Amino acid sequence: MNLTLQFVFCISLRASGVHSCLVLRLRRNAESVISKRILTDSVIIALMLRSESFLVDSNPYRHIETLDDEGKYILEWMVDWDNKRVIFNVSVATTGYIGFGLSRRGKMTGADIVIGGVSPEGKPYLTDRHALGHNLPVMDAQQDWTLHSAVQSEGYTFLSFSRAFDTCDKEDYPITEDVMSIIWAYGENDDVVEYHFQNRGNRDIYLLDPDLTPRIAQPLYRTKNPKELGDLKVWSINKIEVIPPVETYYTCSFHKAPRSPKKGHIVGFNTVLQSELERRHINHFFLYRCHPPHGRDAAAFFERYVRNRGEQCYTLNTASSKIPTMNCREPIHIWSVGGKPVFLPGHVGIPLAETTNEYFMLQAHYVNPERLPGMRLRYSLEIFYTPNPRKHDAGVMLTGHTVPGSPSLLIPPSSLGHVIHGICGSDCTKQMFPETGIQVFAASMHTHGTGRGTRLLQIRDNHELPWISFDDNYHYKFQQTRILRKERTVLPGDQIITRCAYETTGKKHATVGGMSLRNEICVGVMWYYNRIPGYGICNSEIKSKSYFGRLGVSNATWSNAHLEMVMSAPPSPVGITMSEIFSHHFKWNIGRRAQLLDDHRFLPHVTQCPTLIPGMHVTRQQGRTVSAPSSTPTLQRYVLGGKQNEASDKDLEYNSVYSKDVVSYERPEVCVKEQKHVVEVNNHEYQSPVVQQQFPSGTWWSVDTKSEGYNPLQDEEI
């Protein structure tokens, strides 16, 4: 006679805050004798393997998150792409009920929620519900979550459950590649009517993304297990910055890379913020590679700036008497608010130690809306590198709308879904990319607080290909570098279009391009191989006479004092900022808003793809070789109406357009449910699949898309 023995074991790892339970099932002959010693050894090994799974796994679709600050609610999940399903494990420090849900913006209303646990009688339970407000979620008519295991031990409850990406149930929230908020709660007992007090929270997550981050990215773990670094080394850029009482503050500091006898590769980045103070007041930073002027020694040129703690810097392409920012504009890494560690796939790395002395510049953006005096911020950028080069050299390409500010980045007040485009045109990709193209393996997007949706589009032969990266539920406070599930080939002649959608329904003022969080930007970042030395920026703006004529704008000049464009010549008022003009001196109506959207999409853009190495020789499409100027064109004065910038070289600019004839790519419907439908053919019945039910994106679950009075520095409540 056979029987199945079930053993439940739980383990708590104080060092990592992980508590997990293991269900061990053994099918044995009833007459056999199980040695206690063998069983004990087996359990210890199983528990070790189980605990390790929270920290490392060869499967990049297996993840672990601690959802609360005290380590009482641990979430582990794995994506099953073959069956389009996600398996969730939660371990919670309670013997009461556990609440878990999927939400668009971390709100209860509209959330897809399960409530589960083990009853006082020892019976597992899990119910599929949805929330209509801040009260007990109601039961779904269709139960789509599957409970696999429920265990209680030593004051902890462990649940394992799963759900399909898409259940075709309008009472469920679909699991997509957009960011979603995990909402969580737990009670002291199994009475779900009882309020959960402070035992609740939410966490933004890309559920379906791969994650290549190893354990050694955690500083505490790395300190205790230094041998696991293997051939990796860590270069730390440590910063202490005292922020003045101003709303927006940018600084640039110079750093010398570790010396190496041979070329190596950077393979990962980790940002270490010391406290909530840093998390609230550091918006982003960029790491750039520096190149000395042609014929100059790098050490002789840059070393003196390394001793300087940093200088204020807003624009990198404007000559400064203090620091040579225009010599440091090749992008290497970007970290934005909410960002997590970034580790590259095993076949690529960013070159390091290509020359004897290498220097990098860190540009950081700090925000201080309260204008607190003497605020002291501490943080570190950890750069992981290996002296053993990988197969491919990786590079970083910034795309999007021209920054730091352009008169054509304009969002009317009280706008919902206003879209801005930045074009890396076909002329530029022909100039920059080799015949075989580049392979994009990761991407990120960057806006300020009113960004609500981002896409990185690719157009070839007048057809829009499946998007390189996208997030139609983009959240400003959760800006991640995302490893792509499948690498994308971008060929010379392709257009790369960065698309950003904004919501300003809580704002009475117009929003323009600029450096402050009051302003907006639209930036896409592509991580790719094989690296193209000398290039790293490809963006655009509108300089059409008809566009600015409709807006009543003539000439505008960038102002560091205002951190945006100001009018510089009649007939418009001189010295008034663009945001003031379009907030108080321009009457918005439906027609003008619609015309602006149409202009932003279809009017010709001027695409720029400058060389970033002073003195670099490049071959243009016309077949002639020209030298890049000693510095990139300055962004000082705009002469609008189709003319070039005063200081620009026309070879650096091309006309590009998002054609109305482009065949658009349509994102697949959220749900396409197939049901068997009986049809009659030649008097014989047979079953054929017929699409019967569709629930496109943006139906009932879009109730939380509006964020009246949205403050990017204020946490949203559940």
Side-chain angles (χ1 to χ4, degrees), residues 29 102 202 285 296 402 419 443 457 497 504 579 582 709:
N29 186 287
L102 308 176
N202 68 291
F285 54 73
R296 296 287 299 274
T402 298
V419 176
L457 314 179
I497 298 180
T504 61
S579 57
F582 294 112

Side-chain angles (χ1 to χ4, degrees), residues 96-98 115-119 123-126 147 150 152 157 159 190:
Y97 72 84
I98 294 174
I115 296 178
V118 179
S119 71
K123 183 178 180 180
Y125 64 90
L126 187 81
L147 178 64
Q152 273 186 2
T157 300
L159 296 179
D190 290 289

Side-chain angles (χ1 to χ4, degrees), residues 113-133:
I113 294 173
V114 290
I115 296 178
V118 179
S119 71
E121 296 77 28
K123 183 178 180 180
Y125 64 90
L126 187 81
T127 55
D128 182 2
R129 300 167 177 261
H130 62 278
L132 300 178

